[in-house]
Amino acid sequence: MVGRRLAGAGGGNGGGRFGRAVRLMMAGLLVAGMTGAVISGTSLPADAAQRQSWAMVSVGTGFSCGISAESAAFCWGTGSSGELGDGGETGARRVSPRPVVTPAGVEGWSTLTAGQFHACGVSTDGAAFCWGEDDFGQLGNGPGVTENQVSPSPVVTPAGVGGWSTLTAAANHTCGVSTDGAAFCWG
């Protein structure tokens, strides 16, 4: 791990957005900053006493989320609008990865993206879910619905779309690509 360069969460560790991994920065781990950047195929410390193997990590504003090698989703940092997805209170600060609430029927996650104050993921069976801030409809959970969600909420899937391949969250909107290659955006 020491000396490996990773794209991801830049700036300070306010709110625990780096988790306990920030200690490794002093030992040569470079974490360069870009909101929404993805780290793939790396291992980052989940806790001081434990290491978690990660399939991917995505960085939002003040928080980060990742998918473990076992396809479980975790988030950490500041959850001002529910973006940690752990079902807990907003305003929480988590310095260690906490499991994202797994919706009924979801056996694992294939991809995940962190936006400004929201996150979204695609389950291993192709269903899309988002959580966190929804001021502009960026969670995609229905027309006229703009209530923040502290756990994953299903994205309303357009007619004829059988599932999702990937999602990308930005500041106030989210876009996704369906399994048949069509692109959609909301928010």
Side-chain angles (χ1 to χ4, degrees):
M1 288 308 312
V2 174
R4 182 180 287 191
R5 294 177 181 259
L6 304 174
N13 191 33
R17 75 189 75 160
F18 293 148
R20 297 187 191 266
V22 74
R23 293 182 185 162
L24 289 180
M25 290 174 60
M26 298 305 205
L29 176 67
L30 174 63
V31 182
M34 286 183 5
T35 298
V38 176
I39 305 169
S40 279
T42 56
S43 294
L44 297 174
D47 194 41
Q50 169 188 355
R51 293 193 180 268
Q52 177 72 274
S53 182
W54 297 99
M56 71 170 296
V57 174
S58 184
V59 179
T61 301
F63 76 106
S64 301
C65 296
I67 297 176
S68 71
E70 294 79 27
S71 301
F74 295 85
C75 292
W76 58 95
T78 301
S80 60
S81 302
E83 58 266 45
L84 301 182
D86 62 0
E89 63 188 70
T90 58
R93 291 183 179 194
R94 314 277 192 226
V95 295
S96 295
R98 299 273 304 257
V100 170
V101 173
T102 303
V106 171
E107 296 195 18
W109 300 91
S110 62
T111 189
L112 188 139
T113 180
Q116 184 170 4
F117 299 114
H118 74 291
C120 298
V122 176
S123 66
T124 53
D125 67 350
F129 297 87
C130 293
W131 56 93
E133 184 178 88
D134 197 24
D135 291 349
F136 299 94
Q138 61 265 47
L139 301 186
N141 52 1
V145 178
T146 56
E147 185 175 311
N148 295 354
Q149 301 293 315
V150 296
S151 60
S153 176
V155 170
V156 175
T157 302
V161 172
W164 299 94
S165 296
T166 190
L167 300 172
T168 301
N172 300 315
H173 69 284
T174 303
C175 293
V177 176
S178 66
T179 53
D180 64 355
F184 299 87
C185 293
W186 51 91

